[in-house]
Amino acid sequence: MVAAAAVALGMLAFAADSVAGGVGQVLIALTSSGFAWGLAAFLVGRSAATAKRAVGSATALLVLATLLYYLLVLVVSRRWSGGTLEDGTSADLLGLRSVAMMTALWLTGSLVGGPVLGLLGHIVRVGNVSTSALAAGSVCGLLSGEGWQAVMLAPPWQLLTVSDPYQAEFFRGVVVGELVKIVLPIVVLAWLGTAHRLWRVWPTLLTAAIASGALSAALWYVLYAAAHSI
């Protein structure tokens, strides 16, 4: 099951990259974002019988999906190849280096995020009301952090003022993608709160969501800064 989910996750993320314009931005938010991959790891952990299996399965899912995604980039799309540098030499080596560095970066993220999300998924299912609420709120915040970070860097009200028709369509897709990565984690929180009857401890639920959301947004900012420096 984990292997099949990893294949689906990696291939969907790869396919979304090939869709241009605003639609592509929305598809990326749904298939190739911290929310999409984090939710997959959480659900795998939630279905595991033990905490150890939850951690291992969630981590394996993210690692395998990451390796498959960058293998497809390397072999199929070959976005790293072509072009020349200013001195006339091929840029292929530079492109390969970039692919290798990005693979290492996201593998590191998988090795850190996988155990956390998998364990939180298991706790939500087996913990008592207070512990489950704390875990569910934390998951919601972690899943929404990328969206909050994007909104802070590129506020929707600024993106929607673009007048050029082609750019306007693209930026509308960006705005929808930002909102997807914020609204859907809230939907997940509502589902968990209802399914596990956690609303009776709603202060714990919301406090955990707000605190982990702020932490997640800060971590996403650092991660993207590191990715752009490569």
Side-chain angles (χ1 to χ4, degrees):
M1 183 185 70
V2 172
V7 170
L9 201 60
M11 293 189 70
L12 285 173
F14 178 75
D17 290 345
S18 63
V19 181
V23 175
Q25 294 302 304
V26 176
L27 288 177
I28 287 173
L30 291 171
T31 64
S32 185
S33 64
F35 163 74
W37 288 44
L39 179 61
F42 167 76
L43 292 176
V44 166
R46 184 173 176 268
S47 66
T50 65
K52 184 177 180 180
R53 287 186 179 180
V55 169
S57 297
T59 305
L61 170 69
L62 295 183
V63 168
L64 291 174
T66 299
L67 290 174
L68 174 61
Y69 174 81
Y70 281 105
L71 179 63
L72 291 172
V73 170
L74 187 66
V75 177
V76 179
S77 70
R78 295 180 61 84
R79 295 197 304 263
W80 53 271
S81 64
T84 56
L85 301 177
E86 291 182 359
D87 60 3
T89 59
S90 172
D92 285 2
L93 289 179
L94 187 61
L96 284 173
R97 175 185 175 275
S98 178
V99 171
M101 294 295 290
M102 292 303 296
T103 303
L105 178 66
W106 292 111
L107 280 177
T108 301
S110 298
L111 293 173
V112 174
V116 172
L117 291 165
L119 185 58
L120 287 174
H122 182 71
I123 292 173
V124 166
R125 186 169 64 85
V126 305
N128 58 41
V129 173
S130 297
T131 305
S132 294
L134 186 62
S138 298
V139 166
C140 173
L142 292 175
L143 295 182
S144 66
E146 186 182 13
W148 289 117
Q149 182 264 351
V151 166
M152 288 187 292
L153 291 182
W157 53 88
Q158 292 183 3
L159 296 178
L160 292 175
T161 60
V162 177
S163 58
D164 180 85
Y166 177 78
Q167 290 185 339
E169 178 189 357
F170 175 82
F171 284 121
R172 280 196 296 269
V174 173
V175 170
V176 174
E178 289 179 348
L179 296 178
V180 161
K181 289 183 282 188
I182 292 174
V183 173
L184 289 187
I186 296 175
V187 173
V188 171
L189 181 65
W191 164 59
L192 293 175
T194 302
H196 297 278
R197 300 180 180 179
L198 304 178
W199 293 115
R200 47 187 159 166
V201 289
W202 65 266
T204 300
L205 201 64
L206 297 184
T207 300
I210 293 170
S212 62
L215 175 61
S216 179
L219 292 175
W220 275 106
Y221 178 83
V222 172
L223 186 61
Y224 275 119
H228 291 154
S229 67
I230 294 176

